[in-house]
Structure formats: structure tokens, C-alpha cells
Amino acid sequence: YSTKRTFQPVDFFTKALSNSSHLDLGLGYFSSASFNVLACGFSHFIKNGGNIRMYINPNLTEDDYALLKANKNEEFEERLLESYEELFNILSKRDELFFRCLAYLIQQKRIEIRIAVLKEGGIAHEKFGIFTDTNGNEVVFNGSMNLTASGLTRNIESIDCICSWNNEENKQRIATYHNDFDSVWDGSNKDVIIYEAEDFCQKIVKRYQHEKLDAIVLEETKTIHE
């Protein structure tokens, strides 16, 4: 899928979310640039009974890593929450729709979120996901672009997709993505430290309380056509 071709990345995300029941999502750099387009189709994913596992990598400073190296874990986790609080203050309308969807999933216990931090500093810039439908069909996407509406419509951006039903080789490639995701998720990747995101999730729910699914779906429909 490419922005300058017939098949557009934004169309992929909308269709994939709308037809999936589960998503494993690795966002190497969690910012408004990472989830803007994921708002399209997200509420329909929820309405279909979708569940999600997502790990995120925050934007950290050298001072943050100094705390990590000094094993000041409590202060480090406080800084993680501060970085997300700063993020909440710059959300666009489309971004807010994404977080409203997250809040609903958290309250319904249909999402797990973990924070992945590289031990040696820097950010994991990967952006990939594994979509699964109720029949067990799977589609993987991978791309290093920013998932913003402008990035996917104005820039020359592309993503690669792998479909499990095409051939045995694709199934093996998808299995590799599962292994990569799980190694980060369960903490077995030696280059990554994993944090449970309970406090982060509580912040989201506190900010977007009592979300109703029908209202979110209606808002998504309006936002897509604006």
C-alpha cells in the first residue's frame, strides 16, 4: 500500500480494523503521530468485539535514562506518566477519538497495554501489527512511517502487508512477527524493559469516563468525513 498508488495505507487500516477481532500492535514511538489514522475504523473494531494487546515506547530524555540507570524506578515511572500527561494536552479531535476508544476498551477489560523501554536509550521506531479475524485469518502490516492523516495522504509513505491465506511462506513470516511481538510482551527480549501500564490506563479512563460505544461510532463517522 502506498500513498501515491491506487491502494492507500489509510484504506488498509480502516478495512483491517473494521474486519478484525484481535490486534497485536507494536508502536515503537507512542505519540500523536503514531495513532492518528488508527482512529479510522477503531470504533467498528470495538463494535465487532475486538480485543487488543499493545506495547508502546515513550519519548524519553537523557535525564529519564539516567534515572533508569540509577535504578530509581519509582521516579522513572513518574516521569513516564508525566510524558503521557504532556501528550494528552496536545491531542487533536481525531487523536481524542483514539483515546476514547482506548478508554472504552480498558473499562470493558478488552485491552492490555504495556510500556517497552530500550535499556540503552533511543527509541524503537518500529510500527507493526497483526490483525486476526474470527476465522483465524491473519494480516501483518509493517512500516516505519508516521501514522498521521497528513503523513499517509500527502507524503510518499508505504506499508508492506502479509496475508496468511496466500501461501505457507507467508504463514511462517507471520509466525516470526508473533515471536518478535511476544518476546517484547513477555519481557524475554534482553534489550527491553517492560512496565505494566496500569497507572497510564487509569489516567486514560479518568480523562474519558463513561464512554458509550454508540457515541464513539457516531463520532468516528463524523471525523472521517471532515
Side-chain angles (χ1 to χ4, degrees):
Y1 289 80
S2 175
T3 51
K4 303 305 178 183
R5 297 179 183 172
T6 301
F7 300 103
Q8 302 286 316
V10 67
D11 296 331
F12 166 78
F13 287 110
T14 301
K15 292 177 181 178
L17 280 165
S18 298
N19 289 280
S20 298
S21 59
H22 182 80
L23 170 61
D24 281 343
L25 182 63
L27 286 181
Y29 182 26
F30 194 67
S31 68
S32 61
S34 298
F35 50 71
N36 190 282
V37 165
L38 291 175
C40 301
F42 203 3
S43 70
H44 287 84
F45 170 79
I46 297 172
K47 194 170 185 178
N48 291 341
N51 293 270
I52 184 171
R53 294 190 302 173
M54 176 173 67
Y55 68 75
I56 56 182
N57 179 243
N59 184 20
L60 301 177
T61 66
E62 291 185 10
D63 290 340
D64 298 328
Y65 278 103
L67 290 173
L68 178 62
K69 292 294 185 182
N71 292 320
K72 296 182 179 180
N73 290 337
E74 185 173 335
E75 291 181 52
F76 182 74
E77 291 185 31
E78 287 178 2
R79 177 63 194 123
L80 288 181
L81 292 178
E82 287 175 8
S83 69
Y84 290 125
E85 190 64 40
E86 293 166 6
L87 175 63
F88 290 144
N89 293 330
I90 60 171
L91 297 180
S92 70
K93 187 174 182 180
R94 187 186 293 262
D95 300 334
E96 290 224 67
L97 177 59
F98 178 85
F99 275 97
R100 289 176 63 192
C101 290
L102 283 187
Y104 181 85
L105 285 172
I106 292 168
Q107 292 175 76
Q108 297 297 313
K109 302 186 184 304
R110 286 165 48 191
I111 187 170
E112 295 179 78
I113 303 175
R114 295 179 182 175
I115 299 170
V117 178
L118 297 183
K119 290 182 180 179
E120 300 303 323
I123 60 171
H125 200 255
E126 63 184 357
K127 297 179 181 71
F128 78 95
I130 308 167
F131 293 97
T132 307
D133 70 10
T134 54
N135 294 317
N137 299 306
E138 295 182 312
V139 176
V140 164
F141 81 88
N142 188 15
S144 61
M145 72 293 172
N146 286 328
L147 303 181
T148 61
S150 60
L152 290 180
T153 56
R154 298 175 190 171
N155 303 336
I156 298 178
E157 305 281 3
S158 62
I159 56 172
D160 292 324
C161 303
I162 309 169
C163 304
S164 64
W165 56 87
N166 281 346
N167 53 52
E168 188 61 33
E169 180 183 352
N170 278 9
K171 291 182 180 179
Q172 293 176 4
R173 291 176 66 190
I174 291 174
T176 300
Y177 277 98
H178 277 294
N179 291 337
D180 288 345
F181 181 91
D182 289 339
S183 71
V184 174
W185 185 258
D186 62 23
S188 61
N189 186 319
K190 61 182 178 59
D191 297 317
V192 176
I193 299 175
I194 287 293
Y195 291 87
E196 297 296 332
E198 293 181 6
D199 291 338
F200 172 62
C201 290
Q202 289 176 8
K203 275 185 173 289
I204 296 175
V205 172
K206 185 176 180 180
R207 190 179 184 98
Y208 303 99
Q209 298 183 45
H210 312 301
E211 291 292 346
K212 302 296 183 182
L213 181 55
D214 289 343
I216 297 174
V217 173
L218 179 61
E219 186 62 32
E220 179 184 288
T221 302
K222 292 179 180 177
T223 302
I224 291 174
H225 290 92
E226 286 182 354

